[in-house]
């Protein structure tokens, strides 16, 4: 078998997926411009697996550089993680988001076509369900996205579906992630937010580390059991395993398939705080703050399709996610 290209493979989800693929005996090539990651991730992946992925420092929007990579390596399949992902920033800088996310996907797709690579897995997001009613089923009509980041995911999904429709030899898998959290149990790779974290788990970890004095809980008057929002948190190593299953499936099929990668369980913000405190034997000071504009009260996945078709199911519990997130945070300091 040839090699698997991971665009954005130095990032949070890509690095964990690189570990899962290398441990399954696959050869991994990473292309990343390090705009939201660092080169030492390559060494850390090597330390964990005993195998170092090939690394190309490059912008995936650079068609010539990407074509050179495809000429040098025999790429059987690509997993496209590269892109910008901060929701708030996408509202402030929509053109940068449309440019980077759409351009990288189009450039990859064109380069794959020119070099005869037929298999593509794409990092989509539960955000494409908009304000539909959970549990979100893959065949639900996707909703209206509330920000440019979400629209880039929605648009790239559409582009990939159209490309696979026009070329029946293509195999495309769209993976809709729910809320990836936690880190590799070694504590060597994990999520490194730049600046003040927007997402809950990195923020909680920084409160635990004493970098922030308390967590603001965004709203406690939602129509949920304890009034705070419910999300489907999934351990990043479970998510990484899902990519391996999706890849095996895609290498064996043609056309487009969509899979949710979530646990199917909603946890509230207060439950996350409690689980973090219990798993790590510490206290997370928090205050109730006004709701965050654009937040959905409840979001969780229907997981039956991934289980039935891919034979994949998330295994790790919220306590595991909290323990591994804190283990990584401690090693960062
Ligand atoms: P990340 O920022 O940690 O990783 C993305 C990587 O892509 C980074 O290493 C960055 O340097 C690189 N990159 C960005 N633009 C590039 C370009 N033009 N050329 C080359 N490299 C480029 O993000 P992540 O959390 O690992 O997310 C991976 C993918 O999954 C993204 O597409 C993201 O939108 C999607 N996703 C993430 C989440 C989440 O909660 N983390 C949820 C749903 C979907
Ligand atoms: C965010 C993104 C979403 C993306 C998802 C996964 C927004 C509006 N949405 O959603 O598009 O797909 O991440 O990457 O950013 N919370 C607090 N205090 C905090 C931080 C968060 O109470 O300091 C709450 C939020 O209100 C929410 C929950 O924690 O209820 C989870 O928040 P977050 O981690 O940002 O994920 P999402 O809201 O699901």
């Amino acid at each position: 078998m040839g090699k698997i290209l991971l665009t954005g493979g130095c990032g949070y989800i890509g690095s964990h997926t690189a570990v899962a693929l290398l441990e399954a005996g696959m050869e991994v090539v990473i292309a990343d411009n390090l705009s939201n990651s660092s080169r030492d991730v390559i060494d850390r992946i090597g330390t964990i697996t005993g195998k170092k992925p090939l690394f190309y420092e490059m912008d995936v929007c650079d068609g010539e550089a990407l074509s050179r990579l495809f000429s040098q390596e025999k790429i059987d399949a690509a997993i496209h993680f590269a892109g910008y992902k901060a929701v708030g920033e996408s509202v402030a800088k929509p053109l940068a988001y449309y440019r980077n996310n759409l351009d990288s996907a189009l450039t990859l797709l064109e380069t794959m076509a020119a070099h005869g690579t037929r298999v593509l897995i794409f990092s989509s997001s539960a955000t494409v369900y908009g304000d539909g009613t959970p549990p979100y089923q893959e065949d639900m009509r996707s909703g209206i996205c509330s920000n440019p980041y979400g629209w880039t995911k929605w648009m790239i999904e559409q582009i990939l579906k159209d490309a696979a429709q026009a070329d029946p030899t293509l195999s495309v898998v769209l993976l809709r992630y729910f809320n990836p959290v936690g880190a590799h149990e070694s504590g060597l790779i994990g999520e490194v937010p730049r600046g003040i974290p927007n997402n809950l788990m990195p923020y909680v970890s920084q409160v635990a580390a004493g970098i922030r004095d308390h967590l603001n809980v965004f709203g406690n008057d939602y129509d949920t059991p304890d009034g705070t929002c419910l999300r489907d948190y999934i351990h990043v190593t479970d998510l990484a395993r899902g990519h391996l299953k999706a890849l095996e499936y895609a290498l064996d099929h043609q056309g487009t398939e969509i899979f949710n990668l979530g646990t199917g369980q909603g946890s509230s913000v207060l439950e996350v705080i409690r689980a973090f405190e219990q798993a790590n034997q510490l206290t997370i000071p928090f205050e109730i703050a006004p709701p965050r504009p654009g937040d959905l009260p409840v979001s969780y996945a229907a997981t039956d399709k991934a289980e039935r078709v891919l034979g994949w199911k998330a295994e790790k519990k919220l306590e595991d996610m909290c323990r591994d997130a804190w283990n990584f945070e401690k090693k960062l300091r």
Side-chain angles (χ1 to χ4, degrees), residues 92-256:
K93 299 180 186 168
L95 297 189
Y97 271 67
Y98 285 114
R99 169 62 69 193
N100 191 44
N101 291 7
L102 294 177
D103 208 354
S104 59
L106 288 167
T107 306
L108 176 62
L109 206 51
E110 286 168 351
T111 311
M112 285 175 56
H115 291 263
T117 302
R118 316 308 312 144
V119 176
L120 178 60
I121 315 271
F122 174 60
S123 298
S124 188
S125 165
T127 192
V128 300
Y129 290 111
D131 55 3
T133 308
Y136 298 132
Q137 304 276 355
E138 287 87 346
D139 58 2
M140 271 171 64
R141 260 187 83 83
S142 35
I144 302 294
C145 298
S146 58
N147 57 73
Y149 165 74
W151 281 119
T152 69
K153 293 295 170 191
W154 191 92
M155 288 176 188
I156 296 166
E157 283 201 0
Q158 193 58 47
I159 290 168
L160 295 178
K161 285 183 209 166
D162 290 343
Q165 180 86 40
D167 176 355
T169 68
L170 261 184
S171 175
V172 170
V173 171
L174 309 175
L175 295 178
R176 293 178 177 162
Y177 310 152
F178 280 70
N179 290 62
V181 295
H184 190 267
E185 59 180 13
S186 64
L188 287 172
I189 52 173
E191 187 170 15
V192 191
R194 297 210 164 150
I196 302 171
N198 293 310
N199 297 115
L200 179 63
M201 192 66 87
Y203 203 104
V204 169
S205 299
Q206 292 198 0
V207 172
I211 299 165
R212 324 242 159 241
D213 57 275
H214 73 278
L215 171 77
N216 286 311
V217 173
F218 297 144
N220 68 345
D221 201 18
Y222 287 99
D223 185 12
T224 59
D226 66 19
T228 66
C229 296
L230 298 186
R231 294 288 181 276
D232 187 338
Y233 299 96
I234 173 167
H235 198 295
V236 66
T237 58
D238 273 338
L239 194 77
R241 234 177 4 91
H243 289 74
L244 178 59
K245 292 290 189 186
L247 184 59
E248 287 166 355
Y249 174 87
L251 287 166
D252 214 29
H253 290 80
Q254 290 172 336
T256 308

Side-chain angles (χ1 to χ4, degrees), residues 70-83:
F70 272 78
S71 300
Q72 280 161 27
E73 315 292 343
K74 185 187 171 315
I75 303 293
D76 270 352
I79 311 185
H80 185 46
F81 297 102

